[in-house]
Amino acid sequence: MQTQMLPADPAGLAAAAALLRQGQLVAFPTETVYGLGADALCPEAVAAIFAAKGRPAEDPLIVHVAELAALPRVVAMVPPLAQQIGAALWPGPLTLILPRGPQVPLAVTAGRETVAVRVPDHPLARALITATGRPLAAPSANRFGHTSPTTAAHVLADLDGRIAAVIDGGATQLGLESSVLDLTTSPPTLLRPGGVSLEQLRALLGEVALAPRQSSAAGMASPGLLERHYAPESSLWLVVGPADPALAWLRSRTEQELAAGRRVGLLLCDEDAQALAHLAADCERLGSSSDLAQIARQLYAALRALDARQPDLILARDLGCNGLARAISDRLTRAAAGRVVHLKDTETRR
Ligand code: TXA
Ligand code: MG
């Protein structure tokens, strides 16, 4: 199959919508990352998503709708809380878990009686949903377990020849996936930190529980929460702790690895990069640690770029859990797949 690169104009949108209505797969930009879209109401099209990504059938998909008013098309009921949160935070990087509507095939929800829904904050994404006339099921448009794509080129790097088309809408604004909030529990549970912060959710809802991180799919609230996810080819090590000791750890580990003749990749905020600039390591800068939005936007592209140069290992420092840092920390922790060095007790990370 030849994958078409479609322009972000009315003709491109019309072509994409026609493909989607035929049950084909089209990747499209959202404000978070690129999604791999299919008609959410067509089980065959949904099955094709799992095949193209190599995604396990037990990992459910997010359904994208164009506006809050379309929610009743995909859920069994709209609880007042969903109405309130949707009105406050949609369109936006927040996915709500709600009771599945009977129209949504079980292939989308991996057999669950709940469905994940969001209204993306990207004009192209919403125009595409409207033009297609269907809700769109869309996971991130990467091969399963790989880093999520923030450009159309990233999508092609993973899925060229496996999907009908990708709409090129440039680099995504946010760079990290949506927050996933389960509204079927009381209090609501944050299953995945993302573009909407825990602080924002708590300000709106009061109590919000945090899902524990899990490393086995058995009985999980959300299978996509598996530890090994968003992973580069090179082994990534993440150091967690106060800035000064963490930086000292990075310095000595880098020196040690370089002395052993290994090629070290560093994924660092500008301040850390500056402090370690004298070392002969290959460094990708993420932006100033005071600008978390910039770091989030750069994270996946930087990780892909560094990984493509095939260092023997990649080192990164955790930036805490305030605001967007929680989502950044979550993705780095998953990319590290267990290679996390805690320099102090984990109390401060709750
Ligand atoms: O920003 C995003 O959320 C992007 C864009 C394309 O919208 N999508 C995305 O999809 O990241 P995906 O499939 O990579 O991640 C969806 C997450 C997974 O962790 C999945 O397990 C969880 O949502 N999920 C989906 N349906 C669920 C359900 N019914 N219950 C619990 N978790 C669910
Ligand atoms: Mg994904």
Side-chain angles (χ1 to χ4, degrees):
M1 181 193 299
Q2 180 89 30
T3 301
Q4 277 176 269
M5 182 77 95
L6 296 172
D9 62 17
L13 269 179
L19 287 167
L20 287 165
R21 276 197 301 272
Q22 289 162 20
Q24 306 262 7
L25 305 183
V26 177
F28 61 93
T30 78
E31 82 281 31
T32 59
V33 300
Y34 274 70
L36 178 56
D39 177 352
L41 305 183
C42 171
E44 293 77 21
V46 170
I49 289 181
F50 288 88
K53 282 194 58 136
R55 181 176 174 117
E58 62 271 13
D59 193 357
L61 306 177
I62 297 174
V63 174
H64 297 71
V65 293
E67 53 182 351
L68 175 58
L71 198 51
R73 280 187 77 183
V74 296
V75 304
M77 46 113 67
V78 180
L81 202 54
Q83 183 68 36
Q84 183 204 335
I85 301 171
L89 296 173
W90 280 348
L94 175 69
T95 296
L96 299 179
I97 308 293
L98 290 164
R100 178 181 68 90
Q103 315 85 313
V104 176
L106 286 166
V108 171
T109 68
R112 290 163 187 246
E113 286 309 329
T114 55
V115 61
V117 194
R118 84 177 188 101
V119 179
D121 187 13
H122 194 299
L124 269 176
R126 288 207 308 284
L128 182 64
I129 299 165
T130 304
T132 308
R134 315 275 162 82
L136 296 180
S140 50
N142 50 277
R143 294 292 284 268
F144 179 71
H146 286 193
T147 307
S148 297
T150 55
T151 67
H154 294 165
V155 174
L156 287 183
D158 266 26
L159 298 173
D160 195 10
R162 305 177 70 89
I163 62 176
V166 51
I167 304 178
D168 186 1
T172 61
Q173 175 64 27
L174 198 64
L176 288 179
E177 300 82 352
S178 62
S179 305
V180 179
L181 183 70
D182 189 348
L183 288 186
T184 69
T185 62
S186 183
T189 307
L190 183 64
L191 296 179
R192 177 176 75 182
V196 169
S197 70
L198 179 64
E199 292 86 342
Q200 268 175 291
L201 291 172
R202 285 189 170 152
L204 196 67
L205 302 172
E207 203 181 342
V208 173
L210 281 175
R213 196 173 269 125
Q214 285 169 287
S215 48
S216 131
M220 291 185 64
S222 189
L225 296 176
L226 277 178
E227 277 281 1
R228 194 190 145 72
H229 218 77
Y230 313 96
E233 301 288 330
S234 307
S235 299
L236 185 146
W237 291 80
L238 179 66
V239 61
V240 181
D244 287 345
L247 194 57
W249 184 91
L250 283 175
R251 182 179 293 118
S252 81
R253 177 74 189 262
T254 304
E255 285 168 347
Q256 206 179 309
E257 296 288 346
L258 290 172
R262 284 157 59 85
R263 295 175 342 112
V264 180
L266 298 174
L267 188 66
L268 297 177
C269 64
D270 291 352
E271 293 82 355
D272 289 1
Q274 190 61 42
L276 301 184
H278 61 288
L279 299 173
D282 179 4
C283 184
E284 277 286 333
R285 290 178 176 230
L286 297 168
S288 167
S289 61
S290 63
D291 187 354
L292 291 174
Q294 172 70 4
I295 291 184
R297 199 177 299 128
Q298 294 297 327
L299 185 67
Y300 288 154
L303 186 54
R304 275 179 188 259
L306 194 53
D307 203 30
R309 299 196 293 269
Q310 302 185 314
D312 293 310
L313 76 167
I314 296 174
L315 304 177
R317 177 166 80 81
D318 187 75
L319 296 175
C321 60
N322 289 329
L324 258 184
R326 182 178 294 274
I328 295 168
S329 170
D330 174 78
R331 303 310 188 271
L332 285 173
T333 302
R334 290 169 205 277
R339 291 175 296 265
V340 179
V341 177
H342 289 274
L343 294 182
K344 227 181 135 193
D345 67 289
T346 51
E347 266 324 287
T348 51
R349 292 180 43 77
R350 289 269 160 78

